[in-house]
Amino acid sequence: MSRSAVFLDRDGTLIEEAGYLDRLERLVFYPYTVDAVRALNAAGFAVVLVTNQAGVARGIVREAFVAEAHDHIARRLAAGGARVDGFYYCPHHPDGSVEAFTKRCDCRKPGSGMFVRAAQDLDLDLSRSFAVGDRWHDLEAGRSVGARTILVRTGYGRTEEAAPRGRPAPDAIVDNAIEAVTWILRVAA
Ligand SMILES: [Mg+2]
Ligand SMILES: [Zn+2]
């Protein structure tokens, strides 16, 4: 049977928002990051990281650094007994400066491309899955594939909460990713 997944945004959700993250020194875990992922692992969810990295298209972030950052995150999580099952990023932007990445794509959230690809790669049941993020576009992407959606108030979350994008509202608004995990475990039980 296909697995349920929790799609976690990266910047402002799983790790601190740092503008365009371009150096490991600026990659900061929240105090609950490892616990949040480990709890989802233990509950049997596939954990999928989905992140827009327009800094690549804008020439601010090297594409190789995105992989380096994800290796770093994977190692920090592994040290705490936690695991992300799939890392997905969109390096594109329609107004980029690096030609190879300057385009409209289906993977940049609110597009659903990363979610669909992960579902194929990892055999996921999107209708029994969840999307967690600090921006409305994270949740729009999740909703478009039938996942339930949770806005966190870290990163840009408080600002986004103050500027609702109309209906439908997210399924939950919580302070941070560990509260999102608590909510997911409760409703999925
Ligand atoms: Mg974010
Ligand atoms: Zn893309």
Side-chain angles (χ1 to χ4, degrees):
M1 198 173 84
S2 301
R3 293 170 84 190
S4 305
V6 177
F7 291 90
L8 295 170
D9 171 52
R10 193 188 81 181
D11 304 337
T13 301
L14 192 66
I15 60 173
E16 286 189 13
E17 171 60 49
Y20 288 109
L21 178 66
D22 59 354
R23 305 194 299 280
L24 286 183
E25 302 82 67
R26 299 177 59 232
L27 193 167
V28 180
F29 272 42
Y30 292 111
Y32 47 77
T33 297
V34 174
D35 290 342
V37 173
R38 194 178 46 229
L40 293 172
N41 298 146
F45 286 99
V47 178
V48 183
L49 183 147
V50 281
T51 180
N52 283 355
Q53 292 298 319
V56 176
R58 295 186 189 284
I60 299 167
V61 178
R62 290 174 302 111
E63 190 178 26
F65 176 76
V66 178
E68 199 181 318
H70 294 174
D71 283 347
H72 177 85
I73 290 170
R75 280 196 304 273
R76 285 273 311 263
L77 290 173
R83 175 189 80 252
V84 167
D85 297 285
F87 288 87
Y88 294 86
Y89 66 93
C90 165
H92 309 115
H93 195 279
D95 305 317
S97 56
V98 179
E99 195 179 348
F101 300 115
T102 298
K103 62 170 191 171
R104 294 197 180 282
C105 63
D106 68 355
C107 42
R108 178 173 168 76
K109 295 177 281 185
S112 61
M114 293 189 282
F115 293 67
V116 170
R117 196 144 40 93
Q120 290 164 352
D121 292 347
L122 302 171
D123 189 21
L124 306 176
D125 181 348
L126 294 172
S127 71
R128 288 190 297 116
S129 295
F130 299 84
V132 182
D134 68 312
R135 305 289 299 267
W136 293 122
H137 63 223
D138 300 320
L139 308 188
E140 286 162 18
R143 186 180 302 116
S144 75
V145 297
R148 277 181 277 186
T149 60
I150 304 152
L151 180 73
V152 290
R153 295 190 176 103
T154 48
Y156 292 105
R158 279 186 196 283
T159 309
E160 294 281 83
E161 184 183 11
R165 231 181 240 189
R167 72 207 150 64
D171 293 290
I173 301 179
V174 299
D175 280 349
N176 56 43
I178 193 78
E179 286 195 11
V181 168
T182 302
W183 187 88
I184 289 166
L185 296 181
R186 193 171 64 239
V187 305

